[in-house]
Amino acid sequence: MNARQPAPISLEPLAERRLRALVEQGLPLVPRPWQALAEQCGLPEETVMACMRRWQAEGLVKRLGLVVRHRPLGITANAMVVWDVPDADVADLGRRLAAEPAVTLCYRRPRRLPDWPYNLFCMIHGTRRERVLATLDEIVERLALQAIPHRVLFSLKAYRQHGGRYTAEERP
């Protein structure tokens, strides 16, 4: 899909809801996913693509991404590292952590004082806890983060992962 100017398009509400529900389930893993969605909705492929461009322009769709189910791949040592970073330094440190190859996710969240002082979160995945902790130690050393308070929280359970949902739990 390209970033052309969205063509004016108006779908019947039912057709648009059906297309949205299909997109929320994930794109079909076929050479022409837009065509496959179009066939399921009874629409022309260009109409589906125009609708996706409109949704992008409206901010309904910000990006398309991949959800990796890492546990079946043997990646079971998953650590959320939470940092208590001075507010003035969060953006800079977040960019530096996000640039680390071992960091798969990095984002800011508000503190929840007095019990939760952490405002920067990053994920490090691995096959063994010891290796994840060693990787974290290397990052702390390389970025000189020894003075930044942090905690390592390993996942105990994997929950079903999926992207954002805008439609009810109906199935097309």
Side-chain angles (χ1 to χ4, degrees):
M1 194 166 64
N2 61 36
R4 292 185 299 167
Q5 187 68 8
I9 181 172
S10 177
L11 289 178
E12 293 291 325
L14 202 55
E16 187 160 330
R17 188 169 47 238
R18 181 168 172 72
L19 177 58
R20 191 174 298 147
L22 286 168
V23 170
E24 287 176 2
Q25 290 178 31
L27 296 181
L29 298 176
V30 297
R32 293 183 64 183
W34 308 120
Q35 178 65 40
L37 291 174
E39 289 170 4
Q40 291 178 61
C41 291
L43 299 168
E45 180 182 27
E46 182 52 45
T47 299
V48 168
M49 294 173 71
C51 189
M52 291 298 298
R53 285 190 293 271
R54 178 172 53 84
W55 288 346
Q56 284 181 308
E58 293 172 353
L60 181 65
V61 173
K62 294 191 187 317
R63 66 180 180 87
L64 298 175
L66 175 71
V67 175
V68 176
R69 290 179 172 74
H70 49 272
R71 286 182 181 264
L73 299 174
I75 301 170
T76 58
N78 307 299
M80 174 66 74
V81 184
V82 294
W83 305 84
D84 180 7
V85 182
D87 291 329
D89 300 333
V90 171
D92 177 59
L93 181 54
R95 278 189 291 278
R96 291 170 55 210
L97 283 170
E100 287 289 324
V103 173
T104 58
L105 183 68
C106 188
Y107 55 93
R108 181 181 194 169
R109 289 285 184 261
R111 303 172 196 277
R112 300 290 183 217
L113 298 174
D115 301 318
W116 191 257
Y118 307 104
N119 59 345
L120 187 61
F121 298 62
C122 72
M123 284 296 299
I124 301 174
H125 297 283
T127 56
R128 294 185 348 263
R129 284 183 178 217
E130 301 78 29
R131 184 64 205 135
V132 168
L133 291 171
T135 299
L136 175 60
D137 288 344
E138 292 166 9
I139 291 170
V140 166
E141 183 69 28
R142 186 170 38 260
L143 300 183
L145 304 178
Q146 296 85 346
I148 307 289
H150 64 278
R151 289 180 57 192
V152 181
L153 310 169
F154 279 97
S155 300
L156 301 176
K157 179 179 169 124
Y159 293 93
R160 182 170 167 250
Q161 294 175 289
H162 58 75
R165 298 287 194 250
Y166 293 95
T167 58
E169 281 298 312
E170 63 190 62
R171 294 291 173 233

